[in-house]
Amino acid sequence: MAMVSNATHDPKHADKVLQDYVTVTVMNIITTFFSSPFAEQSTNVQTQHPMFVRLLQSTYRVALCNWLTGQQRYHVENCSRTLLEIAKIRGIAIPGDLETQLTAVFNKSQMIMKHSRAWMTAGKIRSDTVSQQTQDYRNIIEGLQDIVSLLEDQLKPLVQAELSVLVDVLHRPELLFPPNTDARHKCETGGFISRLIRHTEKLLEEKEEKLCIKMLQTLKEMMTIDVEYTGKVDLKSLSKKEQEDRKRSESLRQLLLTSYYGRTQVRTNRTLAQNSLNSSVQDSDRGAIMLNRAEMTLHDVQCHLDREGATDLVIDLIIHNHSSRTFQETIGLGIALLDGGNCTIQKSFLNRLTSDRNSEKFFRVIYDRMRDAQTEIKATLSVTTGETLTNKADEDRSGGQKDTAKSKTKADREIFTSELQEQMADAASTTARAYVHLQHIRHLEKGDSGAGGRQSLPAEEFIGERAMEKEKKKLSSEIAIMEPILRFLQLLCENHNRDLQNYLRSQSYTPCDKPDKPDKPDKPDGTMNYLRTQNNKTNYNLVCETLQFLDCICGSTTGGLGLLGLYINETNVALINQTLESLTEYCQGPCHENQNAIASHESNGLNIIIALILNDISPLGKYRMDLVLKLKNNASKLLLAIMESRHDSENADGILFNMIPKQLVEVAKLAYHQVEIMEEEQENGKGGDEEPSGEEEDEDVTNSRDVGHNIYILAHQLSKHNKELAEILKPAHGDAHGDIHIDPALEYYANHTAQIEIVRQDRTMEQIVFPIPEICEYLTPETKHRVYITAERDDQGSKVSDFFSRLDDMFAEMKWQKKLRANALLCWMSGHMSFWGRSSFYLAILINILVGLNFPFINATREFDPRLSGLVWTTMFGSLAITITVWPPPRFVVITLVISAILRLIFSFGIEPTLILLGTVNVLNAIMFAVSVMGNYGTFNKPWKQMLTDFEFLYHMGYLIVSMLGLCLHELFFSLLLLDLVYREETLLNVIRSVTKNGRSILMTAVLAIILVYFFSIIGLIFFQDDFLMEVNVASALGITNKEVVNAAATALNGSPVLNADKMEEFCQAPDLFNSTFLKGLNETERASLQSGCLEKFSKDKQSIDEDDTGIERHCDTLLMCMITSMNEGLRNGGGIGDVLRKPSSGERLFYVRVVYDLLFFFIVNIITLNLIFGVIIDTFADLRSEKQQKEEILKNSCFICGLERSAFDNKTVSFEEHCKQEHNMWHYLYFIILVKVKDPTEFTGPESYVAHMIKEKNLDWFPRMRAMSLAADDGEIEQNEVRNLQFELQRTNITIQELSRQLTELKEQMTEQRKQKQRMGLFTPSSAMGTI
């Protein structure tokens, strides 16, 4: 029976066989047994009293199921009636409330039976006529319903267009009046909206409640994002009918705007502004969303209405506490005003509540609504779990009814109306059940078969089931109103408004300062000074009352904490989630007072929150696991908020006291495996989950692993106060055999969880544990390595400043990499960037080796030894076989395969085809490399101007162009590719930087050298012009030409130039000389001349070729020639210009002047100036090398974040490596900043809000500098040890002092005793002396 009662409501997935067996067969067996004479004579019924009561309760639970058919309901109620009669006859005590409920069910059925006897009689006489008339009426009703549905579907877009125009008019009322008029000016200054808001409140005084509600709804629609008219709809995603409806509504809208404004209201050009905001809206707050009809952002519209009195209207209407409908719409308007956490609206609410003496009524109304909701929950809570209601619940219910009977307000009349509507719904459902029962009896009396009866039941079943479904799926108005109330209170505290958080808890405290803005950093508790005023106020602790409401709605008022899931269903789960979210917002910031109030409250609220995480919420979890996951997620967030930013363990100990640590970890593991379980159920066809309806479907479906991750973070925070939990959270565990097993769930959570340390505004440090955002997985290792190596230190020894400046680029790369994953080909190419780079370099080296060994090329193939050819074939196929069979193959095997393949190509086709093939492969590889680099760095997403200034892009484009030139133009262009080594090797880059870094100094020194050479050239021209005599070698033109031709031809034929004259004759007589490819470019005359006079010409020119003519020339006839000679010969010779000038005789007149000239040139130009240039280059290279070594030393021995040295962690509990990897991991700080950027600001925790503000201000004070919590803890332990030692020494000293005091006292007593003895002796001695006298 319990399985049937807890079964799914979806008839498609119900077990029909089990239901029929329980409701028909089992019920008939029980009825027959207790109606038999054997049961009347048996005494086991009295002895099995608890079992009899449980059986009666189970039948009552089955009777409450809304899926019962008429026949099934008849058998169930008959069985329950039989059991109740047996209990009365035998005197069996059953719970009074259970008997009352069963009697009420029976009375309703009997009442319907009494009034429907006439229907039975008429049915027997005119069964056919009634059946025909019923069918006709049903057809008519169905036809009318179809017509109404069709009209609603057709006219809905037009109605929406008309309503949207009203909102447009309220946004721009000044357009209704001519320019430069008084009415237009008043509307522009907000006079129209202001009077409209004031008039809304007066409508209630004039008993115009419906019109007031309509005005409240219209004001709320002014702040609603109308998707239909914002221009955001993707027309391609709409169907043809939806596009037509949109066109009709838009045309009607424009027609109405034209009639109101006198012109077509064309949308202003807000598209660009909206698009520019869309990206920021996603990364920032909801208030920045642009409302097209208002031509303002949501934040501006809210502030505009606030200035005109909307906030005061909400407070006044709540204080006056009109009808429930008006109160609900008022709360809705307040939610719309506060949507997005508008700090201006929050300030207006706080100022009005703190300054108005009647603000006490505001909180009293909300407090009373919470109390009424709890009373209603206690009164309507059914005994569906086999446990009875307590007397206290009955008293509360009766007391609540008495209170409502005394009050004569409109709200009471509304409550009565809702109760009357519920009674009417009860009557309708009971009537439907009775009608089904009568139909069943009539069929039995007529002797119809079971098949005939079943054919007539479905329509009646449908009526009864629908009535009961509507009845049970609706919360009462007193309970349903709590969801918007709690949302309103949550938005009041949004963005961690500390003043309102405290004000909701205690209204006797008013802040002396204006409330903190949400974007301001948290103030320490010491600065939140409150003045105790208005002591005559009654405090309404809405924080604790919200916790009490959670305790009540989850059913713990009946003591059923262990049966938590039976009180939570689809109807109230949204309200429970909202309660958890509101409690979370009360605590975050942190607000330590609210944290303590929730953690130390006397209710079962904290136990309920823990139970929501640890318990299986069944039966809801069987068909709506998404709702259960969301519930657990919010509960875990609330517990984290209760412990947020606390340096004590009080709240954590309170949470741990009420839970089993191992159970918490098991829940996190189960959430991780929930995805696999759901996939298996879908594969096996067991997907019994109901599809969520459109109203209940969340925009963001909660991921089970995200929920488990939050629970894991909760466990991680609690593990600091519980060693057992800390041990359980370790992913690796050993078994009895010594084998280590790694839990995949805990390993996943550990790998996706990070922690950092931040510095708060009061300079206290705090540790934050957070989940790593998914987008951070797209940061490439190449980028990580580049940032880690190239980040520069600041004056304080930290690299945070440079690291923070690169944040936007890294975030942009993450988003690009995520987008890149959608393109499979580009993603694959970008993922192998390092492979393409290595391949390009190796191909460039291989090509240049072949060019260097074989240029100029011989076209014909050469014959090789067959044994060598066979060795190449064997090597190639052997390495290929190893490569195929062994994966990944060894590197030397791949190299062997490539070399043997290239040799085989050269042997078979020649060097030039092989180079063409390798050049083509190199070009393709260069293209792949360039695409992968641009794909990884997001170059495709950049504008052209930025691409043209990107060095990476220009370098790879140049590399590709050079590769294509080498393939298409000339092979020697491949030599330029070897310069890629300079780009790849940092040492060679430092060599280049040694010249370029101080390029200006080197250039200026070179200019000085040119000036000095210019001076020496002038002196040489004037005084030593005749000394500039240079020996030159001049060769005849014919000899050079013949030498070139002959050598080239010999190279083409024999493989090497023939320079030996003895072999020239043999060469000239070679038969293939003049048919060679090389000489085809000569004309016939040149070829004949060369052929006929080869030997003769070569013999004549032999001397000119081998021994060129020698001559002397003057090289200083002009100043320019003098400068060229001085620079060319003077700088290249070790002894300066004197080494190449004429050697003068010592007897010449200018001999000594010449010596001075040569020495000055040597010392000034060759030694001083050139060494200056060399010194700058060498010093720069030395600086770069030492800088590189210093960088490596810093990276190895100092923390990237705080700048602490390795020596600071010597003899500490945390090593330097652990500190850099866990406490101050640089990438964890990046992940946290990214989390702040991608997370909804309204979901921020207190530390996240603080860091978000600091990032916005570009303030890096939240990074720890030269500080670490582990060192502080160690220092604290050292101080504690020192204090212990001092205390121990003090105790020893006290003991010593006490011992000395005792000894001193004893000594004093001894001296006193001795003095007394001496006195006594002195008394006796004089008396004896007198006697002698």
Side-chain angles (χ1 to χ4, degrees):
M1 292 183 185
M3 292 176 60
V4 171
S5 302
N6 296 331
T8 176
H9 300 285
D10 188 2
K12 296 181 180 180
H13 302 92
D15 192 347
K16 298 290 187 181
V17 177
L18 180 61
Q19 291 177 358
D20 291 336
Y21 175 78
V22 172
T23 57
V24 178
T25 306
V26 175
M27 296 299 172
N28 283 333
I29 292 173
I30 296 174
T31 304
T32 305
F33 173 79
F34 284 102
S35 300
S36 64
F38 174 80
E40 295 177 358
Q41 299 175 2
S42 176
T43 59
N44 292 332
V45 178
Q46 283 82 2
T47 58
Q48 299 294 333
H49 170 263
M51 184 179 295
F52 184 88
V53 174
R54 289 179 58 193
L55 183 62
L56 184 59
Q57 290 172 346
S58 300
T59 57
Y60 175 69
R61 289 178 60 191
V62 176
L64 294 179
C65 295
N66 57 1
W67 45 263
L68 291 173
T69 63
Q71 182 182 5
Q72 293 172 343
R73 191 173 300 281
Y74 168 77
H75 290 294
V76 173
E77 290 182 358
N78 190 22
C79 180
S80 301
R81 187 180 293 106
T82 301
L83 292 174
L84 187 60
E85 291 174 356
I86 292 296
K88 292 180 180 179
I89 294 172
R90 298 294 186 90
I92 300 174
I94 62 174
D97 52 336
L98 179 59
E99 182 179 358
T100 303
Q101 293 174 356
L102 285 171
T103 305
V105 173
F106 299 151
N107 290 337
K108 289 182 181 180
S109 300
Q110 291 176 1
M111 181 181 62
I112 299 302
M113 289 287 292
K114 179 179 178 180
H115 290 287
S116 58
R117 288 175 182 174
W119 298 356
M120 293 176 62
T121 305
K124 293 178 181 179
I125 299 173
R126 301 183 309 229
S127 60
D128 298 337
T129 305
V130 172
S131 177
Q132 184 65 32
Q133 289 179 354
T134 304
Q135 185 66 30
D136 294 340
Y137 292 156
R138 185 183 303 164
N139 293 336
I140 293 172
I141 293 174
E142 291 177 354
L144 291 175
Q145 289 178 346
D146 293 340
I147 294 173
V148 172
S149 299
L150 180 62
L151 290 176
E152 287 180 352
D153 186 53
Q154 294 291 331
L155 298 179
K156 181 179 179 181
L158 302 180
V159 174
Q160 290 179 347
E162 290 181 354
L163 295 177
S164 69
V165 171
L166 176 60
V167 178
D168 285 328
V169 172
L170 292 179
H171 279 306
R172 302 293 299 275
E174 66 273 7
L175 298 179
L176 298 174
F177 304 98
N180 302 324
T181 58
D182 189 27
R184 187 182 181 101
H185 177 70
K186 290 182 179 180
C187 291
E188 289 176 347
T189 56
F192 179 78
I193 296 295
S194 178
R195 296 194 62 179
L196 183 65
I197 292 174
R198 291 197 301 269
H199 180 66
T200 302
E201 187 175 359
K202 293 180 180 179
L203 288 174
L204 288 177
E205 300 175 1
E206 300 172 358
K207 310 299 181 181
E208 296 289 344
E209 182 181 0
K210 292 184 178 179
L211 187 56
C212 176
I213 291 173
K214 184 61 181 175
M215 290 307 305
L216 291 174
Q217 292 174 346
T218 305
L219 290 173
K220 184 169 64 175
E221 289 176 3
M222 292 179 66
M223 295 171 285
T224 303
I225 302 173
D226 192 354
V227 180
E228 293 293 330
Y229 302 102
T230 53
K232 294 182 180 180
V233 179
D234 186 9
L235 297 178
K236 296 181 180 179
S237 63
L238 299 178
S239 63
K240 184 177 180 181
K241 181 180 179 302
E242 291 175 341
Q243 294 180 7
E244 293 177 356
D245 292 342
R246 180 176 174 80
K247 290 180 181 179
R248 288 192 298 121
S249 62
E250 183 65 22
S251 60
L252 177 61
R253 171 182 163 82
Q254 293 297 334
L255 179 63
L256 293 174
L257 290 175
T258 303
S259 62
Y260 289 144
Y261 294 147
R263 61 181 178 85
T264 303
Q265 178 66 11
V266 182
R267 290 193 183 96
T268 56
N269 190 14
R270 297 279 181 173
T271 306
L272 295 177
Q274 182 177 349
N275 292 337
S276 64
L277 283 172
N278 282 340
S279 58
S280 61
V281 167
Q282 295 174 0
D283 297 336
S284 61
D285 57 341
R286 181 179 171 84
I289 298 177
M290 178 67 67
L291 302 182
N292 259 18
R293 292 183 293 172
E295 300 181 1
M296 293 187 294
T297 61
L298 176 60
H299 182 275
D300 295 336
V301 174
Q302 291 170 339
C303 294
H304 171 64
L305 293 177
D306 174 59
R307 288 192 298 269
E308 307 307 328
T311 303
D312 294 333
L313 174 65
V314 172
I315 296 176
D316 291 337
L317 292 180
I318 292 177
I319 289 176
H320 290 95
N321 192 20
H322 295 280
S323 65
S324 296
R325 181 69 188 281
T326 305
F327 181 81
Q328 183 177 0
E329 295 298 334
T330 304
I331 291 293
L333 178 59
I335 292 173
L337 285 169
L338 290 165
D339 191 15
N342 193 321
C343 59
T344 304
I345 308 298
Q346 291 175 341
K347 181 180 178 181
S348 299
F349 270 103
L350 182 62
N351 291 339
R352 169 67 189 277
L353 293 174
T354 53
S355 60
D356 191 354
R357 294 183 179 180
N358 295 326
S359 63
E360 178 186 352
K361 297 180 180 179
F362 176 87
F363 293 95
R364 185 178 65 193
V365 169
I366 297 178
Y367 183 84
D368 291 342
R369 293 278 180 175
M370 289 185 173
R371 283 290 182 178
D372 293 342
Q374 295 179 48
T375 303
E376 182 67 19
I377 291 172
K378 296 174 184 178
T380 57
L381 194 62
S382 300
V383 189
T384 59
T385 62
E387 296 195 20
T388 61
L389 293 172
T390 60
N391 295 328
K392 183 179 179 180
D394 294 331
E395 294 174 359
D396 292 339
R397 182 176 181 180
S398 60
Q401 291 175 351
K402 292 178 181 179
D403 294 338
T404 55
K406 291 181 180 179
S407 58
K408 297 181 178 180
T409 59
K410 293 183 180 180
D412 297 329
R413 291 197 292 271
E414 285 293 321
I415 293 174
F416 174 76
T417 303
S418 63
E419 291 178 354
L420 182 60
Q421 292 175 355
E422 292 177 2
Q423 294 178 4
M424 295 295 292
D426 288 340
S429 61
T430 307
T431 304
R433 292 196 299 269
Y435 184 69
V436 173
H437 177 62
L438 293 176
Q439 290 286 341
H440 176 68
I441 295 176
R442 184 172 62 183
H443 282 294
L444 292 177
E445 291 178 355
K446 292 175 66 176
D448 292 344
S449 62
R454 285 192 296 269
Q455 290 176 358
S456 61
L457 285 178
E460 288 78 15
E461 291 177 12
F462 177 77
I463 296 173
E465 290 177 4
R466 291 300 296 269
M468 293 183 65
E469 185 178 357
K470 290 182 179 179
E471 171 194 359
K472 294 204 169 188
K473 279 194 175 182
K474 290 181 62 177
L475 291 171
S476 63
S477 59
E478 291 86 352
I479 303 174
I481 193 62
M482 282 302 301
E483 187 170 354
I485 289 176
L486 292 173
R487 174 63 177 166
F488 176 70
L489 296 178
Q490 176 192 358
L491 290 174
L492 280 176
C493 302
E494 195 71 73
N495 294 322
H496 319 131
N497 193 312
R498 185 77 62 82
D499 292 333
L500 280 169
Q501 285 174 334
N502 285 286
Y503 203 70
L504 291 182
R505 187 188 69 260
S506 175
Q507 292 82 50
S508 62
Y509 293 92
T510 56
C512 62
D513 297 328
K514 59 184 180 181
D516 290 342
K517 294 184 179 180
D519 57 347
K520 290 291 183 68
D522 293 341
K523 297 181 180 180
D525 294 339
T527 62
M528 299 298 296
N529 298 319
Y530 291 97
L531 300 177
R532 181 178 289 277
T533 60
Q534 304 176 4
N535 289 327
N536 56 342
K537 272 189 174 184
T538 302
N539 282 327
Y540 297 97
N541 192 338
L542 300 184
V543 175
C544 292
E545 199 61 33
T546 305
L547 184 66
Q548 187 71 33
F549 176 76
L550 176 67
D551 182 26
C552 183
I553 197 174
C554 290
S556 69
T557 52
T558 64
L561 183 61
L563 303 172
L564 180 67
L566 298 177
Y567 297 96
I568 300 174
N569 49 57
E570 271 186 280
T571 306
N572 62 7
V573 67
L575 180 55
I576 298 175
N577 275 318
Q578 182 58 61
T579 308
L580 294 172
E581 291 174 0
S582 298
L583 288 170
T584 302
E585 198 62 46
Y586 295 161
C587 298
Q588 286 180 341
C591 181
H592 294 301
E593 295 82 0
N594 287 351
Q595 290 175 343
N596 295 333
I598 294 175
S600 60
H601 196 260
E602 64 274 6
S603 69
N604 288 332
L606 193 60
N607 294 341
I608 286 289
I609 299 167
I610 297 172
L612 287 174
I613 299 176
L614 301 182
N615 292 2
D616 292 333
I617 302 176
S618 180
L620 181 64
K622 295 181 179 179
Y623 57 94
R624 286 304 302 273
M625 181 54 68
D626 57 328
L627 297 179
V628 173
L629 290 174
K630 187 175 182 180
L631 202 62
K632 292 180 179 292
N633 192 37
N634 289 328
S636 61
K637 288 181 180 178
L638 176 54
L639 291 182
L640 286 171
I642 293 175
M643 298 186 298
E644 180 181 298
S645 301
R646 297 187 69 92
H647 299 286
D648 57 8
S649 61
E650 181 179 356
N651 291 351
D653 292 339
I655 295 172
L656 286 168
F657 180 78
N658 296 293
M659 71 164 56
I660 302 174
K662 186 175 181 180
Q663 189 178 1
L664 182 65
V665 179
E666 291 299 327
V667 172
K669 292 181 182 179
L670 182 61
Y672 172 82
H673 296 292
Q674 187 65 38
V675 177
E676 302 172 0
I677 296 173
M678 296 176 66
E679 290 177 355
E680 291 178 0
E681 290 180 352
Q682 292 177 358
E683 292 177 358
N684 298 331
K686 297 182 180 180
D689 296 346
E690 289 185 353
E691 292 294 334
S693 60
E695 296 177 357
E696 298 170 348
E697 185 177 5
D698 294 333
E699 295 179 1
D700 49 343
V701 180
T702 306
N703 188 355
S704 62
R705 290 189 176 177
D706 293 340
V707 177
H709 204 168
N710 280 338
I711 299 175
Y712 174 82
I713 292 176
L714 172 63
H716 187 279
Q717 295 290 73
L718 291 172
S719 65
K720 301 175 183 177
H721 312 278
N722 188 288
K723 295 182 179 180
E724 178 187 358
L725 184 57
E727 188 66 26
I728 296 174
L729 284 178
K730 294 180 180 179
H733 293 281
D735 55 10
H737 302 287
D739 298 331
I740 297 177
H741 300 279
I742 298 178
D743 190 287
L746 295 180
E747 184 182 20
Y748 171 82
Y749 292 142
N751 293 335
H752 291 79
T753 305
Q755 68 178 24
I756 62 171
E757 295 176 357
I758 65 172
V759 179
R760 282 283 198 167
Q761 192 75 10
D762 58 351
R763 309 312 299 167
T764 60
M765 294 189 67
E766 178 181 347
Q767 187 183 76
I768 302 175
V769 181
F770 62 95
I772 299 176
E774 181 184 359
I775 194 172
C776 295
E777 298 177 0
Y778 298 102
L779 187 64
T780 59
E782 292 82 5
T783 301
K784 285 186 176 182
H785 180 72
R786 185 177 67 252
V787 172
Y788 178 73
I789 294 299
T790 60
E792 299 294 336
R793 289 167 59 95
D794 58 12
D795 296 337
Q796 298 181 0
S798 174
K799 298 186 177 182
V800 171
S801 301
D802 188 47
F803 179 68
F804 188 79
S805 65
R806 305 186 187 194
L807 175 65
D808 294 335
D809 294 335
M810 288 188 285
F811 187 38
E813 181 181 341
M814 293 179 195
K815 293 190 287 187
W816 166 251
Q817 288 291 333
K818 184 177 181 180
K819 184 179 179 181
L820 187 65
R821 297 299 189 270
N823 191 329
L825 178 60
L826 189 57
C827 177
W828 178 80
M829 293 172 62
S830 301
H832 296 79
M833 183 179 69
S834 58
F835 172 76
W836 307 127
R838 290 194 303 268
S839 299
S840 296
F841 181 66
Y842 294 150
L843 282 172
I845 294 176
L846 183 59
I847 290 173
N848 279 279
I849 289 174
L850 295 179
V851 171
L853 295 177
N854 298 280
F855 188 84
F857 307 122
I858 301 174
N859 191 27
T861 60
R862 300 180 183 179
E863 295 295 335
F864 290 91
D865 190 349
R867 291 173 295 181
L868 179 60
S869 178
L871 178 62
V872 172
W873 280 111
T874 304
T875 305
M876 184 178 68
F877 283 115
S879 57
L880 179 61
I882 296 175
T883 303
I884 296 174
T885 55
V886 179
W887 190 262
R891 179 175 297 182
F892 74 91
V893 175
V894 177
I895 296 173
T896 304
L897 176 62
V898 173
I899 294 175
S900 59
I902 292 174
L903 290 176
R904 188 63 263 171
L905 289 173
I906 295 173
F907 293 165
S908 302
F909 303 101
I911 187 64
E912 287 187 279
T914 304
L915 279 176
I916 293 174
L917 177 61
L918 292 177
T920 304
V921 173
N922 184 56
V923 170
L924 294 177
N925 189 82
I927 294 174
M928 302 282 280
F929 188 30
V931 171
S932 64
V933 170
M934 291 186 288
N936 275 321
Y937 295 157
T939 309
F940 297 110
N941 211 26
K942 297 178 181 179
W944 281 103
K945 292 182 179 179
Q946 190 174 355
M947 289 175 62
L948 294 177
T949 57
D950 187 0
F951 177 77
E952 292 281 345
F953 174 76
L954 296 178
Y955 175 79
H956 288 94
M957 287 298 101
Y959 190 94
L960 178 60
I961 292 172
V962 171
S963 299
M964 295 181 68
L965 290 176
L967 177 63
C968 302
L969 193 59
H970 201 281
E971 295 82 358
L972 296 182
F973 279 104
F974 286 124
S975 61
L976 297 177
L977 300 179
L978 295 177
L979 295 176
D980 185 47
L981 180 63
V982 178
Y983 179 75
R984 293 175 177 277
E985 185 60 38
E986 186 177 0
T987 303
L988 297 180
L989 282 176
N990 286 336
V991 173
I992 302 300
R993 292 193 191 104
S994 64
V995 179
T996 58
K997 186 175 182 179
N998 291 325
R1000 189 174 184 277
S1001 300
I1002 296 174
L1003 181 62
M1004 292 296 102
T1005 307
V1007 170
L1008 175 62
I1010 293 173
I1011 294 173
L1012 294 175
V1013 170
Y1014 178 66
F1015 292 157
F1016 280 102
S1017 299
I1018 294 175
I1019 296 173
L1021 179 66
I1022 297 175
F1023 298 102
F1024 309 109
Q1025 184 177 10
D1026 295 334
D1027 292 345
F1028 282 82
L1029 300 177
M1030 304 296 167
E1031 182 179 352
V1032 298
N1033 298 325
V1034 181
S1036 63
L1038 181 60
I1040 295 175
T1041 302
N1042 289 340
K1043 179 180 180 180
E1044 290 178 350
V1045 173
V1046 172
N1047 289 344
T1051 302
L1053 292 176
N1054 300 329
S1056 62
V1058 183
L1059 297 177
N1060 192 350
D1062 297 335
K1063 296 182 179 180
M1064 280 292 94
E1065 183 176 359
E1066 180 182 355
F1067 167 72
C1068 290
Q1069 293 177 356
D1072 295 332
L1073 173 61
F1074 300 98
N1075 296 325
S1076 63
T1077 305
F1078 176 81
L1079 301 180
K1080 287 183 179 179
L1082 301 177
N1083 54 35
E1084 293 297 332
T1085 306
E1086 292 175 341
R1087 291 166 62 89
S1089 175
L1090 182 60
Q1091 186 175 8
S1092 61
C1094 182
L1095 290 175
E1096 181 182 358
K1097 291 181 179 180
F1098 184 78
S1099 299
K1100 291 181 178 180
D1101 296 331
K1102 183 177 180 181
Q1103 295 297 328
S1104 62
I1105 293 175
D1106 296 333
E1107 298 177 3
D1108 296 325
D1109 295 338
T1110 302
I1112 301 298
E1113 292 185 357
R1114 296 172 58 88
H1115 277 226
C1116 195
D1117 292 338
T1118 62
L1119 182 59
L1120 177 61
M1121 197 63 191
C1122 227
M1123 283 185 60
I1124 293 174
T1125 304
S1126 298
M1127 292 184 64
N1128 182 34
E1129 301 292 344
L1131 297 179
R1132 291 191 300 109
N1133 286 280
I1137 193 64
D1139 287 353
V1140 296
L1141 296 183
R1142 181 182 65 86
K1143 303 300 185 288
S1145 173
S1146 60
E1148 295 182 8
R1149 182 172 56 89
L1150 297 177
F1151 174 77
Y1152 296 104
V1153 177
R1154 168 67 186 280
V1155 171
V1156 174
Y1157 177 80
D1158 292 345
L1159 290 176
L1160 288 176
F1161 191 97
F1162 174 71
F1163 281 110
I1164 295 176
V1165 178
N1166 289 72
I1167 294 180
I1168 298 177
T1169 308
L1170 292 183
N1171 285 330
L1172 282 175
I1173 297 175
F1174 299 152
V1176 171
I1177 296 174
I1178 293 171
D1179 290 343
T1180 305
F1181 181 76
D1183 293 341
L1184 291 173
R1185 184 174 57 185
S1186 61
E1187 183 180 346
K1188 179 184 177 182
Q1189 293 175 351
Q1190 185 180 6
K1191 267 187 179 181
E1192 293 175 352
E1193 188 71 18
I1194 291 172
L1195 291 175
K1196 184 178 179 181
N1197 296 318
S1198 64
C1199 177
F1200 190 96
I1201 298 298
C1202 64
L1204 287 171
E1205 298 293 336
R1206 180 184 293 269
S1207 58
F1209 295 89
D1210 293 341
N1211 300 323
K1212 302 295 182 181
T1213 57
V1214 177
S1215 65
F1216 178 75
E1217 288 75 14
E1218 293 174 348
H1219 169 77
C1220 295
K1221 185 178 180 180
Q1222 298 176 4
E1223 296 180 345
H1224 288 179
N1225 190 314
M1226 58 179 292
W1227 303 116
H1228 289 179
Y1229 282 86
L1230 172 66
Y1231 300 156
F1232 186 73
I1233 296 173
I1234 299 302
L1235 176 67
V1236 171
K1237 285 182 173 291
V1238 301
K1239 193 175 182 179
D1240 185 1
T1242 58
E1243 300 292 330
F1244 281 166
T1245 62
E1248 289 169 355
S1249 296
Y1250 168 70
V1251 173
H1253 169 73
M1254 300 296 278
I1255 292 174
K1256 185 178 179 181
E1257 298 289 332
K1258 296 183 178 180
N1259 190 340
L1260 303 180
D1261 291 342
W1262 61 279
F1263 281 95
R1265 300 292 183 93
M1266 307 303 293
R1267 299 175 64 185
M1269 294 182 66
S1270 59
L1271 295 182
D1274 289 340
D1275 294 340
E1277 292 179 0
I1278 293 173
E1279 292 178 359
Q1280 291 178 359
N1281 292 332
E1282 292 177 354
V1283 170
R1284 291 195 201 97
N1285 294 332
L1286 290 175
Q1287 290 176 349
F1288 180 72
E1289 294 293 335
L1290 183 61
Q1291 291 176 358
R1292 291 180 59 184
T1293 304
N1294 289 333
I1295 294 173
T1296 304
I1297 292 174
Q1298 291 175 359
E1299 182 66 23
L1300 292 175
S1301 299
R1302 185 183 61 81
Q1303 294 176 0
L1304 184 62
T1305 303
E1306 293 178 355
L1307 182 61
K1308 185 176 180 181
E1309 291 176 355
Q1310 292 177 2
M1311 292 179 65
T1312 304
E1313 186 65 26
Q1314 291 178 0
R1315 190 180 300 110
K1316 290 180 179 180
Q1317 290 179 359
K1318 289 182 179 180
Q1319 290 177 356
R1320 286 195 293 269
M1321 293 295 294
L1323 290 175
F1324 289 109
T1325 303
S1327 60
S1328 60
M1330 292 294 296
T1332 305
I1333 296 173

